[in-house]
Structures are given as structure tokens and as C-alpha cells.
């Protein structure tokens, strides 16, 4: 899981601060105002920071004109190299001092801190992987950050697991055998999805227009934006890191189908394939429909 890099990190790239005071090669600070110990009236002192007039003259010219040898204001050799305004996608060591350019986000994968291009789908990334960032949308990432595409099928006999479930209206995919065997209790009226902490996460129905249904894409329990939806990629129950999230493949406390009448917890809904009877959250609606719910 990629994380957005905390603000205030000091870059390792060596970008430093630019100070407003320049120093001579001998280490002394240049004087200000009129040059002391200059030449005759009408002549600027050699090496002065600005041309100064002689007696009766002005800062622009002395009585006899500007003295020879005066240097323009500012002198030479004081120019400094400006730091880059922002870092491009793929560049390392982003921070408040060296922020990412527009269209990129400063993230860390646990090893490096770098700018990664923002995205909305894998089609926008050369790796084909658009991974969620904790609290900051999604960015293009190495393919290892995205799950491999599921094998498509027409019927269960096409799959080595003997389990083919519809992913959407046009595509069916091979699923673990437990997904087909994990038939929720049809005898339980009012089957719901419940978090490990007891939070109600929606009615367990495949009806996409049910007000409180887990499969309603614009409802409180099926939307990708709702805090009580397992499909919210940055929510407590849908992120890849949440201890009670259906999408945390290491969680031992994911949401589960729950029968209010008996108080029995049934199938866990989780990406953790090691949990007995677990239903993949991406296949939950298909499993509910397969079981007439």
C-alpha cells in the first residue's frame, strides 16, 4: 500500500536554502552606502558595490562625470542558481522544500519517497496499475501493487476451481471454490453485513436500488465515498490497511454476513483467502444474487 508522504520531510537531493547576504571571497561582508577611501572627486572608488559621485556630485555622476572604475550595482559573481520549482513524476525525495509538480503526488512505498503520477484507472499508467494511496486518491504504481486480473469464464466448468461468478453485466470470472460453496443462510430473514466492531454495513441483498443495500452504488452502504461502505478505498472498512477492512488481505477481523435473528456471524467478507468460507468483496453481490438474495 502506498502512503502519502508526510509534510516537512527534508529532501536528500541536496536542495538548500538561498541566503540573502552575499560574501566576498575573503569572507567579509560588502559595505553599504558610499564607497570609503575612493579616488579623487568625481571618481568612484575601485571595487565599490555601486558608483558613487565625488564632492558635489550625485549618485549618478560626479562633478566631472562618473569616475572610472566604478562597478554597476550588485557587482559580478553574486548570481545564485535557483532551486527547481517542482519535481516531475518519478523523481525522488519530494518534500515541502521540493514539492511535486501538478499532476503528481508525493508518496512512499516504505523504501523511497518519490513523486508519482495521479490516475483514475490502470489505462493511464505504463504499468497498467493505478493503486490507491491512503488519503490521497490513486497514483501509477508498479504492477506488484495491483492484484493480477481474474481469469474470465462462461460457466463453472471453465475454471479449475469449478466456480464461475458474474463480475458485472458483461463479464464473469473464475472465483475460489469457497465463493460458490459459501451459500449464505437463506433461512435468515434480514441478512446484513456487519463490521467486527458491530457497525451496520448494509442489507445483504444484490438489489442495486435497495436503499440500504450493500450493492447500491450510490447508497450509504455501497458507495465508494461513504464511510460505512466496504467499497470506499480509503474508508475504515474498505482500505487495504484497515484492521476491519474487507480489502485487507491480512485482516483476521473483516466484516461478515450476520443474521440478526439468531445473532450468528456467517461468512466473512474479505480478501483474506485463509479465512474459512470467506467471500471476496468484489464478488459479494454476485454471490448474493447466486443465492437468490
Amino acid at each position: 500500500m502506498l502512503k502519502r508522504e508526510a509534510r516537512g520531510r527534508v529532501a536528500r537531493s541536496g536542495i538548500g536554502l538561498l541566503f540573502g547576504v552575499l560574501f566576498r571571497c575573503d569572507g567579509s561582508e560588502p559595505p553599504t552606502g558610499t564607497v570609503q577611501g575612493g579616488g579623487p572627486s568625481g571618481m568612484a572608488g575601485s571595487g565599490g558595490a555601486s558608483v558613487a559621485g565625488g564632492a558635489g556630485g550625485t549618485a549618478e555622476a560626479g562633478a566631472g562625470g562618473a569616475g572610472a572604475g566604478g562597478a554597476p550595482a550588485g557587482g559580478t559573481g553574486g548570481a545564485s542558481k535557483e532551486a527547481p520549482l517542482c519535481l516531475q513524476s518519478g523523481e525522488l525525495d519530494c518534500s515541502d522544500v521540493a514539492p511535486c509538480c501538478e499532476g503528481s503526488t508525493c508518496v512512499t512505498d516504505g523504501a523511497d519517497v518519490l513523486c508519482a503520477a495521479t490516475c483514475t484507472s490502470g489505462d493511464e499508467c505504463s504499468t497498467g496499475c493505478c493503486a490507491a494511496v491512503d488519503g490521497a486518491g490513486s497514483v501509477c504504481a508498479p504492477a506488484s501493487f495491483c492484484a493480477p486480473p481474474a481469469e474470465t469464464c462462461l460457466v463453472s466448468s471453465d475454471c479449475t476451481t469449478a466456480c464461475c461468478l458474474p463480475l458485472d453485466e458483461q463479464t464473469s470470472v473464475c472465483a475460489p471454490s469457497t465463493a460458490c460453496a459459501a451459500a449464505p443462510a437463506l433461512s435468515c430473514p434480514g441478512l446484513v453485513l456487519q463490521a467486527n466492531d458491530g457497525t451496520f454495513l448494509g442489507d445483504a441483498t444484490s438489489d442495486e436500488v435497495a436503499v440500504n443495500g450493500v450493492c447500491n452504488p450510490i447508497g450509504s452502504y455501497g458507495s465508494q465515498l461513504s464511510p460505512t461502505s466496504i467499497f470506499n478505498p480509503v474508508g475504515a472498512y474498505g482500505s487495504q490497511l484497515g484492521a476491519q477492512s474487507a480489502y485487507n488481505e491480512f485482516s483476521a477481523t473483516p466484516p461478515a454476513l450476520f443474521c440478526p435473528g439468531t445473532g450468528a456471524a456467517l461468512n466473512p467478507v474479505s480478501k483474506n483467502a485463509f479465512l474459512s468460507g470467506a467471500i471476496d468483496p468484489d464478488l459479494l453481490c454476485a454471490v448474493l444474487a447466486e443465492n437468490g438474495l
Side-chain angles (χ1 to χ4, degrees):
M1 175 69 182
L2 293 172
K3 295 183 180 179
R4 187 168 189 170
E5 175 61 11
R7 297 175 65 83
R9 178 185 174 91
V10 177
R12 293 176 297 169
S13 58
I15 299 175
L17 296 177
L18 300 178
F19 292 88
V21 180
L22 299 178
F23 293 90
R24 291 181 180 179
C25 293
D26 61 5
S28 62
E29 185 175 349
T32 58
T34 305
V35 175
Q36 301 298 318
S41 176
M43 296 182 66
S46 60
S50 60
V51 176
T58 68
E60 297 177 357
T76 60
S80 59
K81 186 176 181 180
E82 295 185 358
L85 297 179
C86 61
L87 299 180
Q88 300 295 328
S89 175
E91 291 189 294
L92 297 172
D93 301 321
C94 45
S95 68
D96 284 350
V97 177
C100 297
C101 296
E102 184 176 358
S104 296
T105 299
C106 190
V107 300
T108 178
D109 59 3
D112 295 313
V113 178
L114 72 160
C115 294
T118 55
C119 58
T120 56
S121 71
D123 294 337
E124 301 172 15
C125 308
S126 60
T127 60
C129 177
C130 182
V133 178
D134 189 19
S138 299
V139 298
C140 291
S144 59
F145 281 88
C146 293
E151 180 184 357
T152 58
C153 57
L154 295 176
V155 294
S156 291
S157 58
D158 293 338
C159 307
T160 57
T161 59
C163 182
C164 180
L165 291 175
L167 186 61
D168 52 40
E169 294 180 356
Q170 299 179 336
T171 308
S172 293
V173 296
C174 291
S177 57
T178 54
C180 288
L186 300 180
S187 61
C188 176
L191 189 68
V192 300
L193 181 64
Q194 181 173 291
N196 186 260
D197 62 7
T199 301
F200 174 72
L201 297 179
D203 293 331
T205 171
S206 61
D207 187 348
E208 294 184 353
V209 296
V211 176
N212 293 325
V214 296
C215 299
N216 183 340
I218 60 174
S220 298
Y221 304 101
S223 166
Q224 293 185 341
L225 301 176
S226 172
T228 52
S229 170
I230 64 170
F231 302 113
N232 182 342
V234 296
Y237 308 110
S239 75
Q240 294 181 347
L241 297 176
Q244 300 187 70
S245 172
Y247 282 85
N248 182 343
E249 60 183 9
F250 303 108
S251 174
T253 55
L257 295 177
F258 182 78
C259 186
T262 64
L266 306 175
N267 305 87
V269 177
S270 175
K271 284 286 187 181
N272 188 343
F274 295 100
L275 296 179
S276 177
I279 300 174
D280 188 314
D282 288 332
L283 299 174
L284 175 61
C285 294
V287 170
L288 294 174
E290 187 81 4
N291 287 276
L293 297 173

